Amino acid sequence: MDMRPCSVAGMFYPAEPRHLEQLLETFFRSRSPGIDARGIVSPHAGYVYSGETGACAFSSIPPDFDGTFVVVGPSHRGYTTCASAVPWETPLGIVDLDREFVDVLGIEIDEAAHQNEHSLEVQMPFIKYRFPRARIAPILMGDQSYRAAASLAEQVLRAIERTGRNVRIVASSDFSHYIPDRVARRQDLSAIDALATLDIPEFYRRLRESGATVCGYGPIASMCIACRSLGAERGELLRYTTSGDVTGDLDQVVGYAAIAVV
């Protein structure tokens, strides 16, 4: 059976299954925000830096969820927007694909573009560990403009309507990159504040004016637009950290946020 193999196991997260399982168990321990998010923002850095924040985001979805995760991440290598149509390997087992949903999306399939991209892969162990019966529809986003984000949201909404799937949308994104901690926090929290009311034009404006280097702003926007159409009313910041919280280096940090859209 064709599948997308792990490419960053042993680098971004443990490759040894028991070690990975123990780490995820620690991340998810005592995390229960008591909400049922329609969509989330989860970081995609190495677990040592952002794993707890990612678990915080996924904890806003009840663990008995067994529907379809639409996982949208930025293409760090400049590929155009494309989907994957194969199951994904993790050290904990295979994450099954929702083939019907992917087919209905009508997005070009390009497995080569997904091959070494970490933005989606880093999310898969969280899904396999916490939601073992869930399936996925993986999407890499190239053009991250507002127009492209709105168009992708419409494609996701159309696929939900046609398939009747119970869907949660994961936007994979880190926030500011390699700037002083105090600057990252100011820029990132300002942009995140616009998500409190799901005001995506304002989110883009704040990113543009601040110069914040949010790598997955398009996936975030698309997720919020789709969730708002599905009845979501607000974005809730659950956790914000930077790499400096782990390394102690506050001169060059990357920001990470767990956001639930409810």
Side-chain angles (χ1 to χ4, degrees), residues 8-22:
V8 295
M11 294 180 286
F12 280 67
Y13 57 86
E16 199 281 314
R18 185 57 187 155
H19 184 192
L20 176 58
E21 187 174 43
Q22 289 174 336

Side-chain angles (χ1 to χ4, degrees), residues 80-101:
T80 57
T81 297
C82 58
S84 172
V86 295
W88 282 48
E89 178 190 26
T90 80
L92 303 180
I94 303 300
V95 184
D96 291 328
L97 178 82
D98 188 336
R99 183 59 194 251
E100 181 185 356
F101 192 92

Side-chain angles (χ1 to χ4, degrees), residues 10-201:
M11 294 180 286
F12 280 67
Y13 57 86
E16 199 281 314
R18 185 57 187 155
H19 184 192
L20 176 58
E21 187 174 43
Q22 289 174 336
L23 186 62
L24 289 168
E25 181 181 1
T26 300
F27 289 161
F28 279 105
R29 187 175 298 149
S30 301
R31 294 196 177 278
S32 181
I35 56 179
D36 186 354
R38 274 283 181 186
I40 60 172
V41 177
S42 177
H44 53 239
Y47 282 14
V48 66
Y49 302 108
S50 68
E52 286 191 66
T53 303
C56 185
F58 278 101
S59 292
S60 67
I61 300 170
D64 60 354
F65 176 75
D66 59 359
T68 298
F69 280 103
V70 178
V71 190
V72 188
S75 174
H76 288 93
R77 293 170 176 79
Y79 289 101
T80 57
T81 297
C82 58
S84 172
V86 295
W88 282 48
E89 178 190 26
T90 80
L92 303 180
I94 303 300
V95 184
D96 291 328
L97 178 82
D98 188 336
R99 183 59 194 251
E100 181 185 356
F101 192 92
V102 170
D103 287 345
V104 173
L105 276 171
I107 296 173
E108 178 185 359
I109 305 299
D110 186 348
E111 303 301 346
H114 289 263
Q115 187 172 3
N116 295 309
E117 175 57 62
H118 68 277
S119 71
L120 299 182
E121 180 179 333
V122 168
Q123 310 301 335
M124 299 304 172
F126 289 111
I127 293 172
K128 184 63 181 178
Y129 175 80
R130 187 168 171 86
F131 313 96
R133 296 187 303 276
R135 293 181 292 175
I136 54 169
I139 303 169
L140 270 186
M141 195 170 184
D143 181 358
Q144 296 193 54
S145 66
Y146 178 82
R147 177 179 293 183
S151 176
L152 179 56
E154 285 299 317
Q155 289 173 285
V156 171
L157 290 167
R158 184 167 59 248
I160 293 172
E161 181 179 3
R162 292 183 180 178
T163 63
R165 294 291 196 268
N166 185 12
V167 164
R168 299 295 182 270
I169 306 172
V170 179
S172 178
S173 182
D174 297 334
F175 277 76
S176 286
H177 287 67
Y178 309 119
I179 58 176
D181 186 90
R182 66 183 185 281
V183 179
R185 291 178 185 272
R186 183 177 69 248
Q187 292 181 347
D188 292 347
L189 294 174
S190 174
I192 291 168
D193 186 59
L195 300 178
T197 57
L198 305 182
D199 187 341
I200 301 309

